Amino acid sequence: MQDIINGILKFQRDAFPAREKLYKNLAAWQGPRTLFISCSDSRLVPELVTQQEPGEMFVIRNAGNIVPPYGSEAGGEVATVEYAVAALKVSDIVVCGHSNCGAMTAVANCTCMTDMPAVGHWLRYADSARFVNESRTHENAAAKADAMIRENVIAQLANLRTHPSVRLALKEGRVALHGWYYDIESGRVDAYDETTGSFVPLAAHANTRAAA
Ligand code: ZN
């Protein structure tokens, strides 16, 4: 914990003064343009990967970058999506999975979750992705887990569309959906292209959208 406290002290001493004007400006309001939904994994840092400043992204993180479908439970994530779209009026929503995801590896390999019932329950929101992934042949367990990560991004984009605020925003053309796969080892980001049903490197296809 001492390294965290030292980090706070370093932030107050060095980083805060360097951005003092920005923090003063943000003291009483925020206007993020993007809702970024990613895994809680410590190796994927949304603001670092996207090079965004404070105030620029509204972020939800959880095990497996999952979005419960609307109506499943009035949980924190459903409320946070609604707030981002209806109140903050974000123009883009990104669902970002990542390589070597422990949650998706567990789902792909049907790992027994009897000792973690809450995790097991939560990961059932990835069942539609698991069913699709199971129907295909994979070279090995690692390839199956990697394919599961991508299928899960597609499934969570579908779950997002069940949210009334998201459907309305899509219908009115004021929000775009993005499905990303972040590779930890290389920093590469692949984006889901709904028109072809495939993931393409974002660097070469910057305008790729899952839905717009
Ligand atoms: Zn993960």
Side-chain angles (χ1 to χ4, degrees):
M1 188 60 203
Q2 193 54 46
D3 52 346
I4 302 282
I5 294 165
N6 289 343
I8 288 284
L9 299 178
K10 187 171 185 290
F11 167 77
Q12 292 170 343
R13 189 180 62 239
D14 304 332
F16 186 90
R19 286 184 174 85
E20 196 168 356
K21 209 172 151 193
L22 171 64
Y23 289 118
K24 279 219 161 76
N25 182 38
L26 289 173
W29 80 288
Q30 65 165 336
R33 305 306 306 145
T34 303
L35 168 61
F36 198 94
I37 302 169
S38 73
C39 188
S40 295
D41 193 292
S42 62
R43 300 164 295 176
L44 166 52
V45 182
E47 290 83 356
L48 183 66
V49 167
T50 59
Q51 293 287 285
Q52 295 300 290
E53 290 284 356
E56 292 181 329
M57 289 205 303
F58 204 63
V59 177
I60 295 173
R61 300 184 71 174
N62 61 54
N65 44 272
I66 276 165
V67 183
Y70 188 82
S72 51
E73 55 188 281
E77 182 162 3
V78 174
T80 307
V81 168
E82 189 173 84
Y83 183 75
V85 177
L88 296 174
K89 301 203 181 305
V90 296
S91 57
D92 295 270
I93 305 176
V94 181
V95 175
C96 186
H98 67 94
S99 60
N100 196 241
C101 183
M104 288 308 115
T105 301
V107 173
N109 299 330
C110 290
T111 307
C112 181
M113 290 281 178
T114 50
D115 58 335
M116 289 188 283
V119 176
H121 178 80
W122 178 248
L123 294 180
R124 291 209 319 245
Y125 291 124
D127 270 354
S128 67
R130 181 168 63 82
F131 271 50
V132 171
N133 204 42
E134 288 283 342
S135 73
R136 300 189 178 127
T137 49
H138 304 277
E139 243 172 61
N140 50 46
K144 187 180 178 186
D146 200 61
M148 179 66 207
I149 293 162
R150 294 165 196 268
E151 278 305 329
N152 181 54
V153 168
I154 298 168
Q156 302 315 322
L157 286 167
N159 284 350
L160 255 181
R161 292 167 194 261
T162 67
H163 292 233
S165 59
V166 175
R167 269 205 78 192
L168 179 62
L170 280 169
K171 189 158 173 45
E172 293 179 350
R174 54 185 166 82
V175 76
L177 305 186
H178 311 258
W180 290 1
Y181 171 101
Y182 169 68
D183 184 63
I184 292 168
E185 190 176 11
S186 67
R188 191 188 75 247
V189 172
D190 293 336
Y192 180 62
D193 183 345
E194 199 176 48
T195 56
T196 62
S198 60
F199 282 81
V200 293
L202 188 63
H205 306 272
N207 291 321
T208 305
R209 303 277 183 275

Short mmCIF file of all heavy atoms in Angstrom, two decimals, residues 39 41 98 101-102, ligand 1:
data_model
loop_
_atom_site.label_atom_id
_atom_site.label_comp_id
_atom_site.label_asym_id
_atom_site.label_seq_id
_atom_site.Cartn_x
_atom_site.Cartn_y
_atom_site.Cartn_z
N CYS A 39 -12.54 -4.55 -18.98
CA CYS A 39 -12.30 -5.52 -17.90
C CYS A 39 -11.56 -4.81 -16.76
O CYS A 39 -10.87 -3.81 -16.96
CB CYS A 39 -11.46 -6.67 -18.44
SG CYS A 39 -11.28 -8.05 -17.28
N ASP A 41 -9.12 -6.02 -15.32
CA ASP A 41 -7.74 -6.51 -15.38
C ASP A 41 -6.73 -5.35 -15.22
O ASP A 41 -6.85 -4.32 -15.88
CB ASP A 41 -7.52 -7.21 -16.72
CG ASP A 41 -6.23 -8.02 -16.73
OD1 ASP A 41 -5.15 -7.40 -16.70
OD2 ASP A 41 -6.32 -9.25 -16.78
N HIS A 98 -9.75 -7.87 -23.80
CA HIS A 98 -8.28 -7.87 -23.88
C HIS A 98 -7.74 -9.30 -23.91
O HIS A 98 -8.41 -10.24 -23.47
CB HIS A 98 -7.69 -7.13 -22.67
CG HIS A 98 -7.94 -7.84 -21.38
ND1 HIS A 98 -7.04 -8.71 -20.80
CD2 HIS A 98 -9.02 -7.84 -20.56
CE1 HIS A 98 -7.55 -9.20 -19.69
NE2 HIS A 98 -8.76 -8.69 -19.51
N CYS A 101 -7.53 -12.78 -21.07
CA CYS A 101 -8.54 -12.42 -20.07
C CYS A 101 -8.89 -13.64 -19.21
O CYS A 101 -9.35 -14.67 -19.72
CB CYS A 101 -9.80 -11.88 -20.75
SG CYS A 101 -11.08 -11.34 -19.58
N GLY A 102 -8.67 -13.52 -17.90
CA GLY A 102 -8.93 -14.64 -17.00
C GLY A 102 -10.39 -15.04 -16.97
O GLY A 102 -10.73 -16.23 -16.94
ZN ZN B 1 -10.18 -9.61 -18.36
#
